[in-house]
Every structure is written in C-alpha cells, then in structure tokens.
Amino acid sequence: MFVVVLGELSRWGIAPDAVEALLPHADRALEWVEKFGDQDGDGFVEYQRMTGNGLLNQGWKDSYDGINFADGSLAKAPIALCEVQSYVYAAYVVRSHFAHEAGDLEAVEHWCGRAAALKEAFNEKFWLPEQGWYAVGLDRDKRPIDALASNMGHCLWTGIADRDKAEQVAERLLSPEMFTGWGVRTLATTMGAYNPMSYHNGSVWPHDNAILATGLMRYGFVEQAQRVATGILDAAETFGGRLPELFCGFDRGDYDAPVPYPTSCSPQAWAAATPVQLMRSLLRFDPWMSHSQVWVAPAWPARYGRLAIHNIPLAGRRVDLEVDGASTRITGLPDDVEIVRQSRRPPAPAPHNHEQHPAPVMPSDPASPRGRPA
C-alpha cells in the first residue's frame, strides 16, 4: 500500500521531490513482497504469526474469527487473502508507471509482467465459479476460503478482477444477503459465521464500503456504486455527521437508523476519510499530471444538488471544481493540462496497451454513458 500511495501522490503531482526520494524505499517494499511475503513460493503473499502470541489474522479483518469458511469454520494460517494479492497487483502496476515515466523499458516489462502473472494466477486460484464470487483467501492447505464476504470488493478497486467476473461480484455485493441499505456487510447473512453484531462477520465498515464503491465505479457499475455511497452517507447523517469505525449489519428495512456497534471507535481515521473517497468516486475525478491530463466524468447523485470544492491540491496549484447538474467546471489548472471528459480510459504504460495492465490503479476509470470503461 505504501507503493500505491506513492503512485497516487505522483499522479496528483504532489511533492514530486519527496516522491522521487522515496522511490528506492518503494523498491525495498516490493523486494520484501517477493522475498519474504511469499514464503512458500506459490506466487501469493501469505501471513502467519511467528510466535504463539499476537494476532492470528493479519489482514484488515484481524479478529480471531474474522477469516472463515462458508460453514463458519475458521481458516488456519498461513493465509493468502484476496485483498492482499489485490494490493500487490496494484503496487506492481504503479511501479510499472514509474518505470515508464523514467523511460526504463526493461523495468516496465518486468513490473507489467509481474502484474500480468499475478492477475492470471489470482483469477485461476481464487475464483469460485459455482458460487460466482472470489474466495476470501487460501488457507494453509491452499483450499479456497469460500465465504461470501466483502473482501472481494477490494479486487474491483485495484483492477485485479477479470472483467468477465466483475458483474457477478457486483451482483453479490448488492444482494440482500450483503447490502443492508446502509452499506455492504462484511459477511453475508447466509454464511455460517454471520452475526450482525460481530466485529468482522456481518457488521458494516464505512472504509470498506468506500473501497467497494470505488471498485464498482471502476468497472462501470455506476448505479451500484451510487447505492453503496448514498447508503453510507445516509448512515453518516444518523450519526450526526461523524461516521463510526463500524456499525451493526441489521437491515435498513427493520430499523430507522443504523444500530451502533457498542465499542466502535469514533472518531476513527478510516471512517473519517470515507466521505472524501466516496465523493471522489462519485465525481470520477482522476488526475495524471505526468501526462498533463485530468479525467472527470461525474456520476454525482441529483439528490445532493450543486457541489463546489475549493483549493484541491494538484500539480503545485490549488484548483476549484464545481458540479451542477450536467455541468462540470474546473478552474485553476495549469494551461498545459487537458481536461478529458469523453468515454475513454487513461492508457496503460508502453509497450503494454492491454487490459491486464489498467491505469490508473487507485481511482475509478473514466466511463462511457452507462459508466462502463471504454
């Protein structure tokens, strides 16, 4: 994730000297991924605690019972989580962009190759065709952990999910078993470990939903992304404008407001960042300053009316963005920056202009009228 964030800073043109200075550290992070993250050499990054103490699970769902099979039984480490492979894929693609901008075609080939190989292996090993969703992970025996959980939404966020599988993922995430009306549950109601008042097995996490909404928008599922985003923002209103770390996963049809989770942190950094990321996803605002371009194709819900954002940091400037119905206006950009509004996506780094290496990695892709990336 450090590598991905560094790439995001680069694309926004923020602190270029600092980004350049940190690039060797990004390479060290990737070296760790390849040398130490994959202990058994199967191409996937696993976790396992080194002593009898500490956390059994070391993904973002780090509770002891947070990673389980559909029947409710607990997965045993070492575990390769689907979202962790997704982050690794994103890091490889980001590194290929840095290499492309430096004119290092050998490095471009290397990192694009690593990304392509991981994507192919991931979609072969993690996809569950009979269920129509991605496994949460692989357990110590390389068995797919077959629970229907929110983790797979992160695979839409980074682009590691094959496009022919994305529609089924979107359908599952917005199914009644997963979507409460306030947000997507961490675990479906049909799973053995489901409990709407558990920490990771049926609750709703705002930051998780921001990632899911961004991923849905990336693959062109605009209406679904809007449903998730507006559900979370509606929940925020019931909490007085401050989203908590998580809330219970009861259905919106059963209660007038989200049921608070008793020990949820509030304020909490992930939750505080959620509305910002949801807003960016709905705006489909994607800068790429090294290419002197900004993609913008708002899918801003009419219910929110006019939006004006001031002082957005971009390429050493402060720019303003205004969305009012079908009208979008950006002011303050450097004269040489092109605003791209049509239905096309940013190019992948040469010499690969292929779906396996989509760009950009983090945000939603600029979309066609129905929202599907061209």
Side-chain angles (χ1 to χ4, degrees):
M1 295 301 288
F2 167 73
V3 181
V4 173
V5 172
L6 201 64
E8 186 78 345
L9 287 170
S10 175
R11 290 184 48 256
W12 283 73
I14 295 174
D17 292 341
V19 170
E20 184 177 357
L22 287 169
L23 192 55
H25 300 277
D27 287 335
R28 290 191 64 195
L30 291 171
E31 182 182 6
W32 181 92
V33 165
E34 299 194 326
K35 286 188 175 181
F36 302 105
D38 179 15
Q39 289 288 311
D40 58 9
D42 69 342
F44 302 121
V45 173
E46 303 93 1
Y47 66 80
Q48 182 179 27
R49 65 185 186 182
M50 297 181 67
T51 71
N53 300 315
L55 295 172
L56 283 170
N57 290 312
Q58 297 174 17
W60 85 261
K61 293 180 178 177
D62 57 3
S63 53
Y64 80 95
D65 61 348
I67 306 300
N68 49 75
F69 289 87
D71 63 5
S73 60
L74 301 184
K76 295 185 178 179
I79 293 172
L81 291 172
C82 67
E83 69 266 30
V84 171
Q85 316 320 311
S86 181
Y87 307 154
V88 173
Y89 172 77
Y92 288 160
V93 177
V94 164
R95 189 61 184 86
S96 76
H97 287 282
F98 277 118
H100 180 245
E101 290 169 5
D104 187 346
L105 296 185
E106 183 178 351
V108 171
E109 290 283 355
H110 172 77
W111 294 114
C112 282
R114 294 291 293 166
L118 177 56
K119 182 170 185 174
E120 181 178 2
F122 174 82
N123 283 277
E124 178 184 348
K125 298 294 185 181
F126 282 72
W127 181 247
L128 305 174
E130 293 185 3
Q131 290 91 333
W133 64 75
Y134 285 103
V136 174
L138 305 179
D139 76 351
R140 66 181 181 183
D141 299 317
K142 304 303 175 184
R143 293 184 303 160
I145 303 166
D146 60 351
L148 175 55
S150 65
N151 305 58
M152 64 182 177
H154 296 223
C155 304
L156 299 181
W157 178 46
T158 67
I160 197 173
D162 282 341
R163 192 163 295 279
D164 62 1
K165 300 174 177 63
E167 187 168 359
Q168 292 182 73
V169 173
E171 289 175 355
R172 294 295 186 178
L173 290 173
L174 273 296
S175 68
E177 294 78 23
M178 290 292 288
F179 187 62
T180 69
W182 302 110
V184 176
R185 296 179 176 95
T186 44
L187 189 69
T189 59
T190 50
M191 297 295 103
Y194 170 72
N195 179 346
M197 295 186 67
S198 78
Y199 197 57
H200 288 134
N201 289 325
S203 56
V204 175
W205 286 64
H207 92 278
D208 190 32
N209 277 259
I211 291 173
L212 307 187
T214 304
L216 289 165
M217 195 69 84
R218 178 192 182 108
Y219 280 78
F221 302 109
V222 176
E223 186 271 336
Q224 293 91 332
Q226 290 174 326
R227 285 180 64 195
V228 174
T230 55
I232 290 292
L233 294 174
D234 285 349
E237 286 191 45
T238 72
F239 287 105
R242 175 192 285 176
L243 281 166
E245 177 188 21
L246 72 157
F247 50 86
C248 294
F250 295 104
D251 194 88
R252 187 168 182 169
D254 297 331
Y255 295 93
D256 293 335
V259 177
Y261 186 82
T263 59
S264 177
C265 294
S266 183
Q268 196 246 12
W270 291 359
T274 291
V276 179
Q277 180 60 25
L278 289 175
M279 181 171 59
R280 182 189 172 190
S281 177
L282 292 168
L283 292 172
R284 292 188 288 191
F285 183 80
D286 299 318
W288 204 350
M289 289 299 95
S290 61
H291 291 256
S292 297
Q293 291 176 319
V294 173
W295 279 261
V296 59
W300 189 246
R303 61 183 284 190
Y304 295 133
R306 174 180 172 272
L307 171 71
I309 309 175
H310 302 288
N311 295 321
I312 302 171
L314 198 64
R317 300 282 192 96
R318 293 282 175 168
V319 304
D320 297 336
L321 171 67
E322 182 177 340
V323 178
D324 191 0
S327 173
T328 304
R329 188 162 60 102
I330 304 176
T331 56
L333 284 171
D335 293 338
D336 61 344
V337 173
E338 176 189 7
I339 300 174
V340 182
R341 305 178 191 272
Q342 68 258 42
S343 305
R344 65 183 177 92
R345 65 189 304 167
H352 297 273
N353 187 14
H354 193 275
E355 178 60 31
Q356 286 184 321
H357 315 301
V361 171
M362 289 283 283
S364 57
D365 293 323
S368 62
R370 84 169 288 270
R372 188 169 301 282

